[in-house]
Amino acid sequence: MEYTPLGRTGMRVSRLCLGTMMFGAWGNPDHDACVRMVHRALDAGINFVDTADVYAFGESEAILAKALKGRRDDVVLATKFGEAMDPDAPLRRGASRRWIFRAVEDSLRRLETDHLDLYQLHRPDAGTDPDETLGALTDLVRQGKVRAIGSSALPAEGIVEAQWIAERRGHERFAVEQLAYSAFARHAETAALPTCGRYGLGVLVFSPLNGGWLTGKYRAGRTVSADSRAVRNAEHFDHADVAVRAAKSALVEEFAAIAADAGCSLPELALAFALAHPNVTSAIIGPRTEEQLESQLGACAVELTPQTLTRLDALVAPGTDVNPADSPYPRPVLNRA
């Protein structure tokens, strides 16, 4: 396993980060199996674990608490806040000081720890002044409950605004940005990734396998299991749109040919692609099963040649997405007046 600085935080993290969205009711309800996956990842050298309060509404964090007993000091532990914890409770979400102070205590309790190494705003909150959010997070750092703060899915202008506010108001800076990036969804290359590089932010990549498309399990003539995300949430993972599904299915075959020539599996190629970007710190792997975890652990050993990267650029042009809806960044010019 390779290790690299997490931006300018002083923490060194593995280039693969274990994501735990699939731990619990949202994916794998077998707590013992999830604990085994955490232990296997740590034994393989992963020292970076990412979760969120909203993952199975706290169950993922509770599972991690079990898995990290006796090993907490060897892990950079990251969680997130901001997504709705109760659809009927408007105050149990967002980026206000009121909710941040409650959310952090809930996460600390579920994770059974006295501090978080990285606390991240899960999604932008247009209804809250960023100064309020950064001020509250700064107080948590000064109280010793949080070591570093970060954001997720901020557009480039949001990253710049947060840095400007922190400098002018004397707040802690966002030290890490978590963004979507894969060989099929490359929108971050146009602005977000260069902006992160300019400010020296650590970058965590989520969805490097593009919702499972780059694992090879969604291919022509292959039956999809009933418990797959393609069945459970077809619209979100591009299986409901006939045109997008056809486009990605065709590209997967070409992607598989490139992987074969590179001497690696499809998941390994996908993860190696994400890690090849100079501004990417770590790629999040989010296994639901132990088999899926094993299929991804070898990605750090894959070195992509310039020729392979050129072939991938020809497959999906830099800065573009196979499905334009894969970009989380709002386009105000397209909104209704």
Side-chain angles (χ1 to χ4, degrees), residues 157-176:
E157 62 270 22
I159 295 171
V160 173
E161 181 184 20
Q163 296 291 314
W164 185 90
I165 290 171
E167 179 183 342
R168 291 298 181 93
R169 304 293 176 83
H171 297 322
E172 289 286 324
R173 295 193 316 146
F174 281 144
V176 176

Side-chain angles (χ1 to χ4, degrees), residues 18-24 27-46 49 63-64 67-68 71 285-294 296-297:
L18 180 65
T20 62
M21 188 174 74
M22 291 291 102
F23 287 9
N28 190 336
D30 184 338
H31 287 205
D32 290 339
C34 294
V35 169
R36 286 196 299 271
M37 279 191 274
V38 175
H39 291 170
R40 173 69 182 103
L42 299 186
D43 292 342
I46 290 177
V49 182
I63 292 171
L64 267 183
L68 294 178
R71 307 184 74 168
I285 58 175
R288 181 174 55 83
T289 66
E290 294 170 75
E291 180 182 10
Q292 290 176 356
L293 174 62
E294 292 295 340
Q296 299 171 44
L297 286 175

Side-chain angles (χ1 to χ4, degrees), residues 6 74 83 88 100 192 206 236 263 321 334:
L6 181 61
D74 299 322
E83 293 285 73
D88 298 321
I100 288 171
F206 67 87
H236 183 73
D321 298 328
L334 300 181

Side-chain angles (χ1 to χ4, degrees), residues 182-206:
S182 74
F184 279 8
R186 304 180 59 170
H187 51 265
E189 293 172 334
T190 60
L193 277 168
T195 302
C196 289
R198 181 175 182 83
Y199 286 104
L201 303 187
V203 174
L204 269 175
V205 168
F206 67 87

Side-chain angles (χ1 to χ4, degrees), residues 20 23-24 26 31 35 51-69 72 77-86 92-93 99-116 119-120 122:
T20 62
F23 287 9
W26 286 14
H31 287 205
V35 169
T51 187
D53 55 5
V54 77
Y55 294 164
F57 301 106
E59 187 180 1
S60 170
E61 291 183 327
I63 292 171
L64 267 183
K66 300 177 187 177
L68 294 178
K69 287 188 184 301
R72 171 65 183 91
L77 180 58
T79 193
K80 300 183 285 293
F81 70 92
E83 293 285 73
M85 290 296 286
D86 182 341
R92 291 176 57 80
R93 68 186 72 186
W99 175 241
I100 288 171
F101 277 29
R102 167 66 185 274
V104 74
E105 297 297 340
D106 289 346
S107 286
L108 290 170
R109 173 178 47 79
R110 286 189 294 262
L111 287 163
E112 298 181 27
T113 185
D114 62 356
H115 74 279
L116 301 169
Y119 199 36
Q120 304 156 100
H122 206 151

Side-chain angles (χ1 to χ4, degrees), residues 249-261:
S249 295
L251 287 171
V252 165
E253 299 307 316
E254 297 185 59
F255 193 82
I258 296 174
D261 291 343

